[in-house]
Amino acid sequence: EAGVAQSPRYKIIEKRQSVAFWCNPISGHATLYWYQQILGQGPKLLIQFQNNGVVDDSQLPKDRFSAERLKGVDSTLKIQPAKLEDSAVYLCASSLGLAGGETQYFGPGTRLLVL
Amino acid sequence: AQSVTQLGSHVSVSEGALVLLRCNYSSSVPPYLFWYVQYPNQGLQLLLKYTSAATLVKGINGFEAEFKKSETSFHLTKPSAHMSDAAEYFCAVTNTGNQFYFGTGTSLTVIP
């Protein structure tokens, strides 16, 4: 079974530029998550989708971050404009559903450096 | 509100020694608890999870954890450390809705 795919793996941009990350979850997984992991910290949930609807985006900085999952499969996370403090690893995860205790399967992440 | 606290951001053990990584949780409802491992430049891999069945949970690579409600703890142990266990370990808590709240992580170093 293929795992969660993410691209690109690495991205370097200058502040105020825009950037987009792509995620393809495990086939059949209805729930998709985006996390931000700053160096030395645990992952922090940015947004959770169930199919193509948003379940939780309470920690997404909506003035600069946006995410979509239009067809309920793959997803894109965008940052516009980027700030220095956005330098982090962006992890995508998926699970079968959103029942409590469902295992989340993580992709390898996209490492973003904002200069 | 839910949260986890991982005591000790860095733990060093000798190869063959006991591994003990600590995790305490806070949850207003019965929690589901997870331990994940992260190797350099990789995503998180599930080690084990507690979902209200047996309180002693066995995971991959010889790891296990015990859910202790009275102590609000879910500590991770392994009887004998191996060099390949060197990694970052994260504890996470969730309940209905499956939003995970991760701890700050514990970096495990194994000394030959």
Side-chain angles (χ1 to χ4, degrees), chain A residues 9 33 35 37 40-43 45 48 55-56 91 98-104 106-108 111, chain B residues 32 34 36 38 41-44 46 49 51 90 94-105:
Chain A
R9 290 296 311 277
Y33 315 77
Y35 289 87
Q37 186 178 19
Q41 299 181 21
L45 180 67
Q48 177 188 19
V55 175
D56 183 357
L91 295 166
L98 46 63
E102 287 272 6
T103 297
Q104 293 186 21
F106 285 80
R111 188 174 299 270
Chain B
Y32 302 104
F34 295 75
Y36 281 83
Q38 186 176 34
N41 298 316
Q42 295 187 26
L44 280 72
L46 178 70
K49 69 177 182 180
T51 57
F90 292 95
T94 185
N95 54 33
T96 57
N98 217 38
Q99 288 95 18
F100 277 26
Y101 296 89
F102 284 90
T104 52

Side-chain angles (χ1 to χ4, degrees), chain A residues 15-64:
Chain A
K15 60 183 179 183
R16 291 188 289 274
Q17 286 187 323
S18 63
V19 65
F21 313 128
W22 175 82
C23 171
N24 192 37
I26 292 172
S27 178
H29 281 196
T31 313
L32 185 147
Y33 315 77
W34 283 102
Y35 289 87
Q36 180 191 58
Q37 186 178 19
I38 293 172
L39 187 64
Q41 299 181 21
K44 183 185 80 172
L45 180 67
L46 292 176
I47 189 166
Q48 177 188 19
F49 291 95
Q50 175 70 0
N51 297 312
N52 60 354
V54 175
V55 175
D56 183 357
D57 63 356
S58 57
Q59 299 192 85
L60 186 74
K62 298 180 186 63
D63 57 333
R64 297 184 301 104

Side-chain angles (χ1 to χ4, degrees), chain B:
Chain B
Q2 302 167 86
S3 65
V4 293
T5 301
Q6 292 185 240
L7 297 175
S9 58
H10 293 90
V11 171
S12 293
V13 300
S14 297
E15 190 174 17
L18 172 71
V19 175
L20 171 60
L21 305 182
R22 300 177 186 274
C23 173
N24 288 89
Y25 69 90
S26 173
S27 178
S28 57
V29 296
Y32 302 104
L33 294 157
F34 295 75
W35 276 99
Y36 281 83
V37 61
Q38 186 176 34
Y39 297 100
N41 298 316
Q42 295 187 26
L44 280 72
Q45 178 184 2
L46 178 70
L47 279 176
L48 49 80
K49 69 177 182 180
Y50 167 76
T51 57
S52 74
T55 57
L56 182 62
V57 182
K58 295 187 183 298
I60 63 170
N61 302 337
F63 284 95
E64 63 181 37
E66 186 172 8
F67 173 71
K68 292 187 176 180
K69 184 177 179 180
S70 61
E71 299 177 8
T72 61
S73 69
F74 191 56
H75 301 331
L76 182 71
T77 61
K78 182 174 180 177
S80 177
H82 191 272
M83 295 299 294
S84 60
D85 294 329
E88 189 85 16
Y89 291 80
F90 292 95
C91 182
V93 64
T94 185
N95 54 33
T96 57
N98 217 38
Q99 288 95 18
F100 277 26
Y101 296 89
F102 284 90
T104 52
T106 297
S107 177
L108 176 65
T109 299
V110 181
I111 303 167

Side-chain angles (χ1 to χ4, degrees), chain A residues 61-106:
Chain A
K62 298 180 186 63
D63 57 333
R64 297 184 301 104
F65 285 64
S66 64
E68 59 184 17
R69 192 185 185 200
L70 293 176
K71 296 182 179 179
V73 181
D74 57 348
S75 175
T76 303
L77 177 69
K78 296 180 181 177
I79 307 175
Q80 182 179 8
K83 292 185 174 181
L84 297 178
E85 58 261 36
D86 298 330
S87 294
V89 176
Y90 291 85
L91 295 166
C92 180
S94 69
S95 64
L96 277 172
L98 46 63
E102 287 272 6
T103 297
Q104 293 186 21
Y105 297 87
F106 285 80

